Amino acid sequence: MKSYLKELNEVQRKAVLHTEGPVLVIAGPGSGKTRVLTYRIAHLIEEGAAPWEILSLTFTNKAAREMKERISKVVGNKANQVWAGTFHSIFARILRVEADKIGYPTNFTIYDTEDSKNVLKTIIKNMNLDKNVYVANAIKNRISSAKSNLITPKAYREDSELMQQDKASKRPHLHLIYEQYVKRCRTAGAMDFDDLLFQLFRLLYQNPDNVLQKYQDRFKYILVDEFQDTNFLQYSIIRKLVDYRNEKGEPDQTRSKNICVVGDDAQSIYAFRGATIENILDFEKEFKKYNIGIYKLEQNYRSTDHIVQAANEVITHNSKQIPKEIWSDKGEGERIRVIKSVTDGEEGKRVADTIVEQKNRYHLKNSEIAILYRTNSQSRVFEESLRRYNILYKVYGGLSFYQRKEVKDLIAYLRLIVNPRDEEALRRVINYPKRGIGASSIDKISLLAAQNGITMWEAMGQVSLSKRATNAIGDFRNMIGAFTKKTDGANAYELATLVARQSGILALLKADNSVEGMGRMENINSLLDGIKDFVENDEIIDEATLPDKTLSSYLQNIALHTALDNEDDTEDYVTLMSVHSAKGLEFKSVFVVGLEDKLFPSFMSMDSAEQLDEERRLFYVAITRAEQFLTLTFANSRYQFGQMRYNDPSRFLQEISPKHLEIANPISNRNKTQERNATPLNSGIKGNFKRVRPTAPVLRADPATFKPHPSSEIKEGMKVLHLKFGEGKVTTIDGAADSRVATIFFQGIDDPERRIMLKFAKLQIL
DNA sequence: GTTGGTATCTGTGGA
DNA sequence: AGATACCAAC
């Protein structure tokens, strides 16, 4: 037996070995789901499948990254050639090649949530609708869910149930907004997050140039992680990819559908954004006739028994679920501690106290501890109390680096240069920094564009305005035009620096000497550093697509980044995050806080049984993150929305039987607290480092003396110096003349074998 | 067109 | 509480 197969239990092994035909894996928390997925991929490769024939879809970049790392531990470098990524990133990559077949430019812009909302706000304003009734956020969600269910504006209009709902909520014109929205995105050459899926489906469905067959032939094995969180649209795409047909258009029975989906119905927590558990049930039904293999992973390797049993008890209160029995042999363990506080401030303090206590008694590291909450705004009290003890922590969620205003502003220039049709980018920068093009001019341009069915960029050249405004617009157009001319020759970093300077952004920020202003300046600089890093990185991380240093591909890259993606694991910090973002993670000690009715479960979800079930699954996810210590807390009162609120303890607390619980005594605890205040542990840097992008990588060669040779001179067997990786030896070179790839062994680094694209390589021959 | 101050609203989750 | 929209004054 192959050595990696020995690391699996019987069910896991069966799931890995069942390579041909559809497979459904139901995986309880901590049951080794990722292990099955990664070993399955490794096994496929060991058995002779080419890595690029394997498509592995996940929900987060982090999960994708981890998966690649773990595959490469088994099969080495080939792991990079697997198509592993998020739905959004993989589909964006395909669309970058194929978009012109469905009427989009291949350098299409990706609109983020803010962009989408701004488009909607503009539409609502233009239609003279009441923005308090037509709330942009609500409309966005509704459009998003329409797209997720493959409902076009036309289909929406013809769907009497949807129209009835809109009428009932006093928003009868919603379908018109939807229609406008789609039209505007299209004119702007832009796709929102849902479009990355929706347009890909359209592509496969309309099938121009047999593009469907192309991808069906490429992806011989498909794997989907967190299948319970897929929506109808994602499922439809997956289904399409294995819907093989012969020349007559009949189902092709000779080719087996090698699709493996892994999920847990009990951990479905994204129904609110269109995910549906039905997909698991449908999958089972639909693929039954193709000899489906169903495997249930029920042994939990993560948590002790009190925690596992409590989780089991909680989930039985839900109505629908796939029957399974999660068990653990890790021993009884500690009981779950419940802490009651009078105020949210006290809750913060007592959680920090308990953390100090646990660190003392069990020698836990900060990184083994997490505080999980229902809403991001709850982080504040814990930040304060942890800071008081000098315990290092990190808050996840919130704004990502690329969503900060100043960063988005500079990026908007770059977007506009790449795609002048990008209306949201244009609106962002047309008068930033101030150049005398005010709201009324912009409205006139926008109106002209709408009337003539042209883009705002085009309308800018035709509109008639006052002399002053006309001049200002002329200057602006010339500036952007001059930048655009440079896109071919100049590299992205040089261009971005030029833009920052010539647009006046740098001067504006430099003039601001406030603390925030300096922070903004710093962010701009790290953005530029990041672009530089992107340009200079010559390593092949993803073999399916060779590195591409254009501005356009840079923008594509960052559009799908999220707040969770900034890895910085050199420091030892306590994790603060929402329960949603904690999915898939585990910690020795977990605090689930704010367990109050109207907060967790959220007040938004308290009036329907289905939504309440989802909150319960969320609670289930929360408690199953803990390996050894689980602490549940609630407060009688807390500040919410600027006023004091009084909530009852969460109903979920009563769903755990008392034999698993230990109720902390508030009085005696308070005395101990006083003592500990005097001797804070782990004094060090203050916890509150607001996410700043990790700075330039550690250099292993001295830039002052480093002199790269032309890459044409690099030959096999040479000893070379690389700025980032240091000294190495070229083992092999492959690829055609203009895309030669060197495999180099760098002795000084952890993962020493690297693939370097010689076209971009900076290597000094030693 | 720009600025600054006031009124109003909104309030979950995230790729 | 904080963000945003709106309006009057410059």
Side-chain angles (χ1 to χ4, degrees):
Chain A
M1 197 191 309
K2 293 260 167 60
S3 66
Y4 55 87
L5 291 177
K6 288 186 192 142
E7 292 170 41
L8 299 168
N9 69 29
E10 204 188 326
V11 193
Q12 290 173 335
R13 190 158 52 233
K14 278 185 186 159
V16 166
L17 292 175
H18 189 148
T19 55
E20 305 300 302
V23 170
L24 168 64
V25 179
I26 305 288
S31 63
K33 168 190 70 131
T34 314
R35 176 170 289 221
V36 166
L37 275 173
T38 52
Y39 284 28
R40 186 183 164 88
I41 294 174
H43 181 67
L44 287 169
I45 295 173
E46 289 282 312
E47 294 286 293
W52 55 86
E53 293 172 342
I54 300 169
L55 171 66
S56 168
L57 297 168
T58 56
F59 275 83
T60 63
N61 297 314
K62 189 160 182 266
R65 213 164 32 226
E66 264 171 28
M67 193 168 297
K68 278 193 184 176
E69 269 165 31
R70 288 174 65 168
I71 302 167
S72 69
K73 290 233 168 76
V74 187
V75 301
N77 247 322
K78 286 184 212 156
N80 291 330
Q81 303 174 41
V82 175
W83 282 70
T86 63
F87 282 89
H88 291 87
S89 70
I90 297 276
F91 295 170
R93 207 155 89 192
I94 295 175
L95 286 167
R96 280 266 284 173
V97 180
E98 316 287 357
D100 54 344
K101 297 194 174 71
I102 48 167
Y104 275 89
T106 51
N107 64 352
F108 61 89
T109 300
I110 298 175
Y111 275 173
D112 70 8
T113 311
E114 193 190 346
D115 294 320
S116 303
K117 264 191 233 168
N118 287 339
V119 174
L120 288 169
K121 280 180 192 163
T122 312
I123 294 170
I124 291 162
K125 205 169 162 190
N126 286 354
M127 289 173 75
N128 279 322
L129 296 170
D130 182 353
K131 65 170 168 37
N132 298 322
V133 178
Y134 289 88
V135 180
N137 211 14
I139 310 262
K140 202 196 89 66
N141 287 338
R142 201 149 167 88
I143 290 177
S144 169
S145 96
K147 283 187 184 170
S148 302
N149 287 296
L150 285 169
I151 297 168
T152 60
K154 183 166 173 285
Y156 194 106
R157 200 172 52 235
E158 288 162 2
D159 187 317
S160 56
E161 196 185 329
L162 289 172
M163 295 296 280
Q164 200 54 48
Q165 286 167 3
D166 286 342
K167 210 174 270 173
S169 56
K170 302 272 187 290
R171 294 187 291 222
H173 300 306
L174 205 146
H175 70 282
L176 292 173
I177 301 178
Y178 182 20
E179 195 183 343
Q180 280 290 314
Y181 176 77
V182 168
K183 212 177 266 172
R184 274 179 184 255
C185 287
R186 188 160 263 269
T187 316
M191 297 198 199
D192 64 15
F193 287 138
D194 298 312
D195 278 329
L196 294 176
L197 313 179
F198 189 89
Q199 301 302 340
L200 187 91
F201 180 81
R202 255 189 75 216
L203 176 79
L204 299 180
Y205 181 78
Q206 296 181 353
N207 196 18
D209 305 339
N210 277 331
V211 67
L212 176 62
Q213 283 71 21
K214 174 175 163 189
Y215 288 98
Q216 285 181 339
D217 289 344
R218 175 167 307 168
F219 303 131
K220 303 231 163 43
Y221 295 92
I222 300 177
L223 299 93
V224 184
D225 192 13
E226 309 281 13
F227 188 65
Q228 77 282 353
D229 288 332
T230 52
N231 59 35
F232 178 72
L233 172 53
Q234 287 162 322
Y235 184 37
S236 303
I237 292 171
I238 295 163
R239 218 160 28 181
K240 203 89 197 147
L241 283 172
V242 294
D243 182 22
Y244 309 124
R245 303 275 161 162
N246 63 20
E247 273 120 48
K248 289 183 212 141
E250 299 156 341
D252 180 354
Q253 311 282 5
T254 62
R255 189 170 165 191
S256 76
K257 300 175 191 293
N258 304 326
I259 173 162
C260 170
V261 304
V262 181
D264 179 6
D265 56 307
Q267 292 184 68
S268 157
I269 54 175
Y270 285 110
F272 74 89
R273 65 179 196 213
T276 157
I277 318 183
E278 308 296 313
N279 284 349
I280 293 190
L281 309 172
D282 285 355
F283 185 85
E284 189 180 341
K285 223 186 300 163
E286 200 172 330
F287 288 91
K288 205 167 237 161
K289 49 180 177 278
Y290 305 105
N291 192 22
I292 189 174
I294 300 176
Y295 303 96
K296 279 186 198 173
L297 308 180
E298 296 177 302
Q299 181 175 0
N300 178 314
Y301 293 96
R302 178 184 297 153
S303 316
T304 51
D305 210 43
H306 276 306
I307 295 168
V308 170
Q309 290 315 325
N312 280 341
E313 284 175 9
V314 166
I315 205 65
T316 54
H317 287 83
N318 271 16
S319 50
K320 271 189 289 185
Q321 56 195 306
I322 296 173
K324 56 181 157 330
E325 202 151 321
I326 309 301
W327 58 277
S328 161
D329 66 359
K330 297 225 134 186
E332 196 181 19
E334 300 281 316
R335 287 188 183 205
I336 299 165
R337 205 193 292 198
V338 179
I339 298 179
K340 168 185 167 172
S341 301
V342 178
T343 64
D344 51 349
E346 188 191 336
E347 183 189 36
K349 193 163 169 331
R350 298 192 54 193
V351 166
D353 287 342
T354 312
I355 287 176
V356 172
E357 180 197 315
Q358 288 185 346
K359 281 171 63 101
N360 275 339
R361 198 188 299 179
Y362 307 108
H363 304 289
L364 296 188
K365 287 190 284 185
N366 287 338
S367 58
E368 292 171 322
I369 303 169
I371 301 175
L372 309 180
Y373 32 74
R374 179 64 180 83
T375 67
N376 281 315
S377 60
Q378 284 167 261
S379 72
R380 234 198 64 220
V381 286
F382 303 102
E383 293 181 55
E384 279 167 13
S385 60
L386 289 173
R387 209 155 35 214
R388 205 159 289 146
Y389 283 126
N390 276 326
I391 295 173
L392 211 57
Y393 64 87
K394 181 164 173 174
V395 184
Y396 288 81
L399 277 195
S400 94
F401 177 79
Y402 297 105
Q403 289 172 322
R404 312 185 92 108
K405 184 191 173 300
E406 63 276 14
V407 174
K408 274 201 87 172
D409 286 336
L410 180 50
I411 288 175
Y413 274 98
L414 305 180
R415 273 167 53 178
L416 188 61
I417 292 165
V418 168
N419 172 17
R421 292 161 61 178
D422 185 338
E423 182 170 325
E424 289 313 302
L426 176 66
R427 285 175 180 274
R428 251 194 122 86
V429 299
I430 188 168
N431 199 32
Y432 176 83
K434 299 258 150 61
R435 52 175 67 90
I437 307 173
S440 69
S441 299
I442 295 172
D443 283 348
K444 276 181 200 149
I445 296 169
S446 172
L447 188 69
L448 185 72
Q451 281 168 350
N452 297 353
I454 54 177
T455 66
M456 274 184 78
W457 176 258
E458 289 164 323
M460 261 168 54
Q462 304 171 11
V463 74
S464 57
L465 294 166
S466 72
K467 188 141 184 244
R468 203 159 57 132
T470 310
N471 284 339
I473 287 174
D475 290 348
F476 177 68
R477 291 196 88 205
N478 290 339
M479 178 175 68
I480 300 293
F483 291 147
T484 307
K485 281 206 193 81
K486 293 208 167 74
T487 44
D488 294 336
N491 80 38
Y493 170 66
E494 283 159 16
L495 188 57
T497 313
L498 191 74
V499 169
R501 209 175 304 131
Q502 294 205 349
S503 65
I505 289 183
L506 276 188
L508 192 73
L509 289 178
K510 234 174 232 161
D512 183 354
N513 283 323
S514 65
V515 182
E516 302 85 46
M518 314 235 297
R520 281 193 281 270
M521 188 72 204
E522 216 168 279
N523 285 335
I524 289 293
N525 283 330
S526 17
L527 176 64
L528 291 172
D529 282 348
I531 301 177
K532 190 170 179 195
D533 200 32
F534 172 82
V535 171
E536 288 182 352
N537 186 6
D538 46 16
E539 193 186 2
I540 297 183
I541 291 166
D542 196 327
E543 303 250 358
T545 44
L546 290 175
D548 169 359
K549 305 296 179 191
T550 60
L551 197 52
S552 162
S553 99
Y554 170 75
L555 292 173
Q556 197 87 35
N557 239 303
I558 60 169
L560 299 170
H561 253 253
T562 65
L564 292 178
D565 290 335
N566 293 336
E567 282 297 304
D568 177 17
D569 38 23
T570 53
E571 303 266 21
D572 180 39
Y573 46 74
V574 173
T575 298
L576 273 67
M577 58 168 50
S578 69
V579 181
H580 279 93
S581 4
K583 197 176 65 164
L585 305 180
E586 57 188 17
F587 302 89
K588 270 211 178 118
S589 173
V590 168
F591 295 79
V592 185
V593 300
L595 283 166
E596 295 141 38
D597 270 7
K598 296 182 186 162
L599 184 59
F600 197 173
S602 157
F603 70 100
M604 305 281 290
S605 308
M606 302 245 306
D607 38 42
S608 96
E610 282 98 57
Q611 293 186 62
L612 210 52
D613 279 2
E614 173 144 317
E615 295 282 323
R616 189 175 285 107
R617 291 191 296 266
L618 190 59
F619 183 55
Y620 178 82
V621 168
I623 59 184
T624 52
R625 297 311 94 198
E627 294 169 358
Q628 292 178 21
F629 310 106
L630 176 60
T631 310
L632 309 176
T633 75
F634 64 94
N636 293 118
S637 65
R638 68 174 62 241
Y639 270 103
Q640 234 178 332
F641 315 145
Q643 50 182 311
M644 189 67 90
R645 296 287 177 102
Y646 301 89
N647 295 328
D648 295 329
S650 172
R651 60 192 64 196
F652 297 152
L653 285 169
Q654 288 146 30
E655 298 174 358
I656 303 175
S657 66
K659 64 182 178 202
H660 301 305
L661 301 177
E662 172 204 329
I663 315 289
N665 179 340
I667 308 296
S668 65
N669 212 302
R670 182 133 341 141
N671 291 333
K672 283 188 212 154
T673 301
Q674 296 299 329
E675 278 167 39
R676 270 184 223 105
N677 269 339
T679 52
L681 265 192
N682 190 39
S683 55
I685 318 151
K686 275 200 172 177
N688 189 13
F689 48 101
K690 285 291 175 201
R691 294 153 299 275
V692 175
R693 198 182 184 287
T695 39
V698 187
L699 295 181
R700 281 162 201 275
D702 180 4
T705 58
F706 183 77
K707 281 202 194 63
H709 289 82
S711 59
S712 56
E713 293 174 18
I714 308 291
K715 301 268 160 20
E716 282 181 13
M718 278 178 170
K719 280 202 150 186
V720 292
L721 191 65
H722 187 281
L723 209 50
K724 219 176 2 173
F725 303 138
E727 214 177 297
K729 191 172 177 207
V730 182
T731 48
T732 50
I733 292 180
D734 51 272
D738 63 331
S739 59
R740 293 199 309 154
V741 177
T743 307
I744 306 180
F745 192 89
F746 295 99
Q747 52 269 72
I749 56 177
D750 276 352
D751 191 5
E753 204 182 56
R754 301 286 175 145
R755 307 254 301 151
I756 304 282
M757 183 83 194
L758 284 177
K759 190 160 51 166
F760 306 116
K762 292 209 173 60
L763 294 167
Q764 182 177 342
I765 301 169
L766 293 175

